[in-house]
Amino acid sequence: MISNLISRIVILVLGTLYPAYASYKAIRTKNVKEYVKWMMYWIVFALFTCAETFADILISWVPFYYELKICFVLWLLSPATKGSSILYRKFVHPHFAKREQEIDSYITQASDQGYYALVSLGSKGLNYAANVVVSTAMKSQACIVEQFKSYSTSDLSLSETASAKSSPSRHIKKELDDDELDNRLIEERYNREIAEMAAKERSAVVKRSASTRVRKSREADLYSLQEIEESVGDSDKPQLHGSKGMTSNEKSNASRRAMRTRSSSLKRC
């Protein structure tokens, strides 16, 4: 465990940071020899990093594995051994030169396929995200509806309990209202009966007064008729006394005049 940590630190400092700074110096000074040297080192170090990833899994149990890695990195960096230049010229450059076209075609295919794969993956990811958002919104809506239902049922139960508690007072109030209504109906019926009795009495008084007025008018008419008859009789007597020497026509005319006088007096009455 300690050797693994030490090897990581040594490779990070000597295999990465120092070559990076040396490459910066070569670019700044425009030294072509140093530039080519460090370019060969970075190619070999990239291949070493790929191989190290699998070797750490497969052969890390070999004794002095991490020490050998440190020694290999120092051999690549050392200007005396020039390990990176030797590996590049003898192994890396010949193999890359033979398979350069194949590698370029693979890279082109991979870039094209990677682009289409990235587009399809992005569309799938967007569709998945949209489905997740829609399902989440529907679930949240369902949860909100259930919550409102629970609130409504709880409010209904509370209202039922409140109504059950207030039902005795409501019943008492209803009984009082019924009693008050009965008393009001009784009072209205009593007032209606009194009004009907008063109306009957008034109609009876009106009828009695009308009958007395009719009776008095009849009596007055009879009295006037008697007076008229007496007056007519008194006026007819001299005519009757003087009618002894009258003819029948004169008598009939006299009787007609007397009847006309009586009828005119009756009409005036």
Side-chain angles (χ1 to χ4, degrees):
M1 189 69 183
I2 296 173
S3 59
N4 185 11
L5 181 60
I6 293 171
S7 67
R8 289 290 180 187
I9 294 171
V10 171
I11 292 170
L12 178 64
V13 174
L14 298 178
T16 306
L17 295 178
Y18 173 70
Y21 181 73
S23 300
Y24 161 74
K25 293 285 284 183
I27 294 169
R28 191 175 68 84
T29 58
K30 296 180 181 180
N31 190 348
V32 179
K33 185 178 179 179
E34 290 293 322
Y35 184 77
V36 173
K37 171 189 168 182
W38 289 114
M39 284 298 294
M40 290 188 292
Y41 169 79
W42 284 117
I43 294 169
V44 174
F45 186 78
L47 296 174
F48 165 73
T49 304
C50 293
E52 181 191 15
T53 303
F54 296 100
D56 288 340
I57 299 171
L58 298 175
I59 60 173
S60 61
W61 52 270
V62 175
F64 304 106
Y65 169 74
Y66 297 105
E67 289 80 0
L68 291 173
K69 282 202 308 183
I70 295 171
C71 293
F72 180 75
V73 172
L74 292 175
W75 179 73
L76 291 176
L77 285 171
S78 177
T81 57
K82 297 180 180 180
S84 60
S85 298
I86 293 169
L87 289 176
Y88 179 78
R89 287 190 178 96
K90 288 186 178 181
F91 297 101
V92 177
H93 183 74
H95 286 85
F96 279 176
K98 288 180 182 180
R99 296 177 176 83
E100 185 176 359
Q101 294 180 357
E102 295 179 2
I103 293 169
D104 291 338
S105 64
Y106 290 151
I107 291 171
T108 304
Q109 291 177 4
S111 63
D112 295 336
Q113 292 177 1
Y115 174 74
Y116 292 117
L118 182 63
V119 170
S120 63
L121 183 63
S123 62
K124 289 180 180 179
L126 290 175
N127 291 328
Y128 178 74
N131 292 326
V132 169
V133 170
V134 171
S135 61
T136 305
M138 292 178 67
K139 288 180 181 179
S140 62
Q141 187 177 4
C143 292
I144 291 170
V145 171
E146 290 179 357
Q147 192 72 22
F148 279 128
K149 286 182 179 179
S150 63
Y151 286 158
S152 61
T153 52
S154 62
D155 294 336
L156 183 60
S157 61
L158 290 174
S159 63
E160 287 179 354
T161 54
S163 62
K165 289 181 181 179
S166 61
S167 59
S169 61
R170 290 181 180 177
H171 184 67
I172 294 170
K173 187 176 180 180
K174 187 176 180 181
E175 289 181 354
L176 292 175
D177 293 337
D178 293 336
D179 294 335
E180 186 177 358
L181 181 62
D182 293 336
N183 293 327
R184 192 179 300 169
L185 291 174
I186 291 169
E187 186 176 359
E188 289 179 357
R189 189 182 298 169
Y190 178 73
N191 293 328
R192 194 183 300 113
E193 291 178 355
I194 291 173
E196 290 177 355
M197 291 175 66
K200 289 180 180 179
E201 290 179 356
R202 284 196 298 272
S203 62
V205 170
V206 169
K207 288 180 179 179
R208 283 196 298 273
S209 62
S211 61
T212 53
R213 284 197 298 272
V214 170
R215 187 174 61 253
K216 287 180 180 180
S217 63
R218 288 179 179 177
E219 290 177 354
D221 292 337
L222 291 174
Y223 181 73
S224 62
L225 287 173
Q226 289 177 359
E227 288 180 353
I228 289 168
E229 289 178 354
E230 289 177 356
S231 61
V232 169
D234 293 335
S235 60
D236 290 339
K237 283 181 180 181
Q239 293 176 1
L240 292 173
H241 288 291
S243 62
K244 291 180 181 180
M246 294 181 181
T247 61
S248 60
N249 292 325
E250 290 177 353
K251 289 180 180 180
S252 62
N253 290 328
S255 63
R256 288 177 183 170
R257 283 195 298 273
M259 291 294 293
R260 288 175 184 171
T261 304
R262 186 181 298 173
S263 63
S264 62
S265 63
L266 289 172
K267 285 180 181 180
R268 283 196 299 270
C269 294

